[in-house]
Amino acid sequence: MKIYNSLGSKIEEFEPLEEGIVKVYTCGPTVYNYASIGNFRTYLAADILIRTLKYSSYDVKYVMNLTDVGHLTGDNLGDADTGEDRIEKEAKKEGKSAWDISKFYIDAFIKDYERLNLTKPELFAKATDHIKEQIELVRRIEQKGFTYKTSDGIYFDTKRYEQETGRKYGELSTLDKIKEGARVEVNNEKQNPEDFALWKFSPSSEKRQMEWDSPWGVGFPGWHIECSAMSMKYLGESFDFHVGGEDLRQTHHPNEIAQAESVTGKTFVKYWMHVTFLKVDGKKMSKSLGNVYRIDDIVDKGYDPLALRYLFMTSHYRDSINFTWDALEAADTTLKKLRKLTMQYRNETRRVTLSEEKRQKIENYSQEFGSHVENDLDTPKAIATMWKILKSNIPSIDKYDLLLDFDEIFGLNLRGLEGVEIPKEIIELAEKRMQLRNEGEYEESDKVREEIQKRGFNVKDRNGGYDIEKV
Ligand code: AMP
Ligand code: ZN
């Protein structure tokens, strides 16, 4: 499998760190609001990665975090250490507790996540459930001498880290310079613009709802430390994949790397995958434009969330994609057509003994599909291959089998459609019976027919092939 690695900015051949198993971490949402369809573009790309790895016979260990503390309103490109805590701010606005806010939006997130048929991680790791681990990691960074204290917290010293370890800070980033003060005032106590908070003190002027004791005083973790602490806890000091939206490439991920590598001395993550932002009507999603749509908006307009899934898959995750309601309408129509065809193919269960040429054709189609998804998750090309196959002259039952196989990646729930499905083992028995008959082994072939009947199906000969029916 080939994958574009943001670390090095090139396509690489994928090699897992450990044979047979791949460990993946995705930066999840900050749960102060509903996740937008933009957020879900990123989680869908991660889901396609997981599904492709499984399709290629790897075991996958998948963890996603839920940020329920410490992500401040300063923007993600440079000053997420300044401003207000997003959860506490929303709690004030809604007149609820911070804990109620995060619980409410976590539940909403998981519901949407399921509606998009995204692969459940082994664990949704919550930052507030891992305060101990985060304090411990900050303590280890401190012991290495890479921290300093300001009036509002404990900071990571990026220059010192570079000087003492010989490692470079911010290799992932494509920014020339960190953009400080984009939304809130610049923090003048920082020694270098790239330095970032590991632990923040609770302000003396007001009582925070979420705060903990620490060796440095009462406060809360900086935004970045949770990901280093939790990913290393569950996936080890070095693991295979880390996924997030393109904004995280600039500071959040470089900071995660610095935090982890400063204490382990090992490469934190081998492959970094970043997803290009979704736009809406050609513009950045923003509250002021009123275009921050979520899954409920899709459902309220009568669309199936899986139509959004289909729409997203028609673009490559590194290409920009523009959401419009017209595009969703078209995706919804196409998905309905695909479902209708799937049902139609399934109902035509007639098998024909295939010519060598057709058998080869099916094999080639299957390989073509695999080569697209394994080429940096090229879902648009994989979808084009699927439609080419559906238009081809291979038997319906083979189209059906291929569709179900491809759906392991597409995740459009084609297997779950209404109607009778013929189990694979019944088809295998029917094939065996056909072969025995062709070899003149009639007694044996009748025994197989009886076995098929015992399992609740009937097989009838027809025009050199056969039909299978549920009794
Ligand atoms: P947040 O809740 O802001 O921490 O974002 C959660 C994830 O969604 C991060 O990986 C972001 O990079 C990603 N994300 C945010 N907005 C978009 C967007 N418009 N398109 C794709 N991914 C996004
Ligand atoms: Zn993260």
Side-chain angles (χ1 to χ4, degrees):
M1 174 170 147
K2 288 193 168 54
I3 196 84
Y4 182 88
N5 191 352
S6 311
L7 190 63
S9 302
K10 60 176 191 311
I11 299 265
E12 286 179 30
E13 191 64 46
F14 170 66
E15 291 264 4
L17 289 170
E18 218 180 295
E19 188 156 335
I21 178 153
V22 186
K23 294 176 183 165
V24 185
Y25 183 92
T26 295
C27 289
T30 305
V31 286
Y32 68 108
N33 207 331
Y34 294 101
S36 70
I37 56 172
N39 297 142
F40 279 112
R41 177 180 205 207
T42 292
Y43 306 134
L44 174 74
D47 174 65
I48 299 289
L49 170 70
I50 304 288
R51 287 171 179 269
T52 303
L53 290 166
K54 289 185 175 168
Y55 192 81
S56 310
S57 304
Y58 290 108
D59 278 339
V60 180
K61 187 158 183 191
Y62 186 32
V63 173
M64 182 185 282
N65 70 306
L66 300 169
T67 302
D68 57 352
V69 69
H71 191 179
L72 307 190
T73 47
D75 81 358
N76 292 356
L77 295 186
D79 46 14
D81 296 329
T82 44
E84 279 181 83
D85 187 312
R86 294 178 194 221
I87 312 271
E88 299 238 350
K89 185 179 174 194
E90 186 63 24
K92 271 183 227 151
K93 195 173 124 198
E94 293 192 29
K96 293 181 185 161
S97 81
W99 297 97
D100 287 343
I101 289 294
S102 62
K103 179 169 183 339
F104 179 85
Y105 289 113
I106 286 172
D107 290 348
F109 174 70
I110 299 210
K111 182 176 157 203
D112 290 347
Y113 195 93
E114 285 170 354
R115 288 196 282 190
L116 285 172
N117 201 19
L118 300 171
T119 311
K120 265 241 162 108
E122 257 171 66
L123 183 73
F124 280 116
K126 256 187 353 184
T128 54
D129 286 341
H130 297 82
I131 299 295
K132 192 171 77 31
E133 288 82 350
Q134 296 176 70
I135 290 177
E136 175 58 20
L137 184 56
V138 177
R139 221 184 40 77
R140 288 172 70 194
I141 298 169
E142 186 181 43
Q143 277 171 355
K144 294 272 177 189
F146 301 141
T147 61
Y148 60 90
K149 188 174 169 183
T150 73
S151 59
D152 72 354
I154 302 296
Y155 280 77
F156 187 98
D157 186 336
T158 50
K159 279 280 164 312
R160 184 104 190 247
Y161 161 69
E162 286 193 334
Q163 282 157 5
E164 300 218 352
T165 61
R167 288 171 186 266
K168 201 172 147 17
Y169 168 82
E171 266 178 309
L172 257 187
S173 174
T174 55
L175 288 182
D176 292 337
K177 223 165 150 277
I178 296 267
K179 208 163 113 209
E180 280 188 292
R183 287 209 212 148
V184 281
E185 75 291 350
V186 175
N187 179 352
N188 291 320
E189 289 182 70
K190 283 208 298 194
Q191 291 175 7
N192 316 290
E194 293 81 10
D195 295 353
F196 54 91
L198 297 166
W199 185 262
K200 293 221 48 170
F201 304 135
S202 291
S204 49
S205 55
E206 64 175 298
K207 172 105 181 89
R208 276 182 59 96
Q209 297 186 37
M210 290 177 160
E211 59 180 13
W212 295 265
D213 261 337
S214 81
W216 313 279
V218 175
F220 58 100
W223 172 39
H224 319 287
I225 196 80
E226 64 175 90
C227 287
S228 304
M230 299 194 293
S231 63
M232 288 200 287
K233 170 167 180 168
Y234 295 108
L235 305 176
E237 290 182 341
S238 294
F239 58 94
D240 301 282
F241 275 104
H242 202 119
V243 186
E246 60 179 336
D247 56 334
L248 303 187
R249 178 173 184 174
Q250 308 306 353
T251 54
H252 179 60
H253 287 163
N255 295 353
E256 283 190 39
I257 295 173
Q259 290 167 151
E261 297 189 359
S262 66
V263 297
T264 67
K266 296 179 191 162
T267 300
F268 175 45
V269 171
K270 196 168 174 193
Y271 303 95
W272 288 88
M273 179 172 151
H274 291 105
V275 183
T276 300
F277 267 23
L278 173 84
K279 286 191 172 157
V280 171
D281 295 323
K283 299 185 192 85
K284 198 178 158 188
M285 277 196 305
S286 82
K287 273 199 188 134
S288 57
L289 290 174
N291 63 2
V292 186
Y293 299 128
R294 57 185 164 98
I295 303 302
D296 274 344
D297 296 321
I298 305 273
V299 174
D300 287 350
K301 287 199 187 246
Y303 296 109
D304 186 329
L306 294 181
L308 184 70
R309 197 181 156 103
Y310 184 89
L311 175 62
F312 284 176
M313 290 190 299
T314 59
S315 287
H316 188 264
Y317 74 91
R318 285 190 292 115
D319 287 337
S320 60
I321 174 172
N322 185 29
F323 174 87
T324 63
W325 289 105
D326 283 348
L328 185 66
E329 169 76 32
D332 196 61
T333 306
T334 311
L335 179 61
K336 284 192 180 120
K337 183 173 159 200
L338 184 61
R339 286 180 171 149
K340 210 168 140 204
L341 283 172
T342 310
M343 301 273 283
Q344 184 189 321
Y345 296 145
R346 188 179 50 203
N347 294 337
E348 293 168 21
T349 53
R350 199 167 82 79
R351 288 242 153 209
V352 274
T353 309
L354 289 176
S355 66
E356 192 43 44
E357 189 200 348
K358 261 193 194 143
R359 209 180 283 283
Q360 192 57 50
K361 204 166 173 181
I362 293 167
E363 179 60 29
N364 291 348
Y365 281 146
S366 179
Q367 276 181 11
E368 183 179 319
F369 173 84
S371 71
H372 288 321
V373 285
E374 288 180 2
N375 184 18
D376 196 26
L377 315 178
D378 199 338
T379 49
K381 288 213 176 111
I383 286 180
T385 296
M386 174 185 77
W387 286 108
K388 183 169 87 180
I389 294 170
L390 298 186
K391 287 190 189 114
S392 77
N393 66 354
I394 64 167
S396 295
I397 190 69
D398 294 295
K399 289 182 182 172
Y400 178 66
D401 285 350
L402 286 172
L403 274 174
L404 289 197
D405 182 58
F406 298 169
D407 205 38
E408 298 289 315
I409 304 246
F410 292 148
L412 297 170
N413 274 343
L414 297 180
R415 188 181 288 278
L417 296 174
E418 295 277 299
V420 179
E421 194 178 333
I422 313 288
K424 211 170 164 198
E425 83 250 20
I426 300 293
I427 296 173
E428 277 165 13
L429 283 171
E431 284 285 295
K432 188 170 158 197
R433 175 182 164 269
M434 191 72 189
Q435 196 187 338
L436 288 166
R437 280 181 67 82
N438 289 343
E439 288 163 6
E441 303 277 351
Y442 298 109
E443 218 170 296
E444 285 299 307
S445 78
D446 283 347
K447 277 192 198 148
V448 179
R449 180 204 288 265
E450 277 165 31
E451 182 57 36
I452 293 171
Q453 279 169 343
K454 256 194 243 159
R455 296 184 191 206
F457 291 86
N458 246 337
V459 57
K460 286 188 188 152
D461 295 316
R462 209 165 84 181
N463 300 337
Y466 53 83
D467 274 352
I468 306 174
E469 295 167 350
K470 180 124 180 82
V471 185

